[in-house]
Amino acid sequence: MSRLTGPLTAGGVIGDVLDMFTPSIKMTVVYNSNMQVNNGFEFMPSAITAPPRVEVIGGDMRTFYTLIMTDPDSPSPSDPTEREYLYWMVTDIPGTTSNSFVCSGREMMSYEIPKPLIGIHRYVFSLFQQKGRQTVLPPSSRHHFNTRQFAQYNGLGLPVAAVYFNAQRETAARGR
């Protein structure tokens, strides 16, 4: 198990959302210009209300990517009957970009603010290399989304990068 996929396996992301893969692109996800997503870190929902800045490093301008953000623990980690819930999808992201994906890609599903109600939820960012520009079809629904099936249907193969964070409901006492 590599140091890059080990935390994804330990967190159940590989298994619940993705199959084992070998990362080939560096992806960074940063909220509010200074909160970088690292596997298993926890963020307060109030701190992740706007889409993050995502950087892809290692591709080229002729290569395009699809970013998928899901919650495999919806509506609760002990009973994830809506696994997976789709929070964000951007396609046609040019390689080697440091711009926000919303600016440089095509947003298929707008960013939805994570609002976990029960338990600690995992929010997974998966990056896939496309076969070409405008080759990814939009999903029919956010509910019961399946990253594996979507990737297979659109010919995306295995992910080239992934990262996840945790979040749970903020209570009045916890938010102080």
Side-chain angles (χ1 to χ4, degrees):
M1 186 177 331
S2 84
R3 66 176 182 79
L4 297 173
T5 58
L8 296 169
T9 301
V13 171
I14 292 178
D16 288 346
V17 179
L18 304 170
D19 291 325
M20 181 57 75
F21 71 99
T22 302
S24 58
I25 295 291
K26 181 174 170 57
M27 173 179 69
T28 59
V29 180
V30 179
Y31 280 97
N32 301 322
S33 75
N34 65 350
M35 296 173 20
Q36 182 169 336
V37 174
N38 289 301
N39 289 315
F41 280 32
E42 184 172 346
F43 291 117
M44 303 302 280
S46 60
I48 53 177
T49 58
R53 179 176 47 88
V54 183
E55 294 179 342
V56 176
I57 301 157
D60 61 52
M61 293 307 286
R62 295 172 309 217
T63 306
F64 295 92
Y65 297 93
T66 294
L67 176 75
I68 298 171
M69 178 188 176
T70 63
D71 174 0
D73 301 316
S74 183
S76 95
S78 61
D79 189 24
T81 57
E82 292 183 19
R83 177 177 291 168
E84 301 162 53
Y85 185 83
L86 178 61
Y87 274 88
W88 195 30
M89 181 182 291
V90 183
T91 65
D92 297 334
I93 303 159
T96 318
T97 181
S98 60
N99 298 324
S100 164
F101 282 153
V102 175
C103 295
S104 61
R106 187 168 59 130
E107 194 172 47
M108 299 282 258
M109 289 291 220
S110 62
Y111 182 80
E112 189 172 305
I113 301 167
K115 294 180 182 171
L117 297 176
I118 300 168
I120 299 171
H121 290 241
R122 297 166 293 168
Y123 294 91
V124 181
F125 292 92
S126 307
L127 187 70
F128 293 88
Q129 184 173 330
Q130 297 173 206
K131 293 202 181 289
R133 192 166 198 207
Q134 297 182 352
T135 57
V136 176
L137 300 172
S140 57
S141 173
R142 289 181 186 268
H143 297 276
H144 303 287
F145 183 81
N146 185 301
T147 299
R148 282 186 189 97
Q149 287 176 0
F150 184 83
Q152 183 178 17
Y153 180 77
N154 284 282
L156 300 173
L158 293 172
V160 294
V163 67
Y164 81 100
F165 69 89
N166 296 318
Q168 61 184 309
R169 182 179 176 185
E170 290 182 59
T171 62
R174 206 168 164 234
R176 290 183 193 161

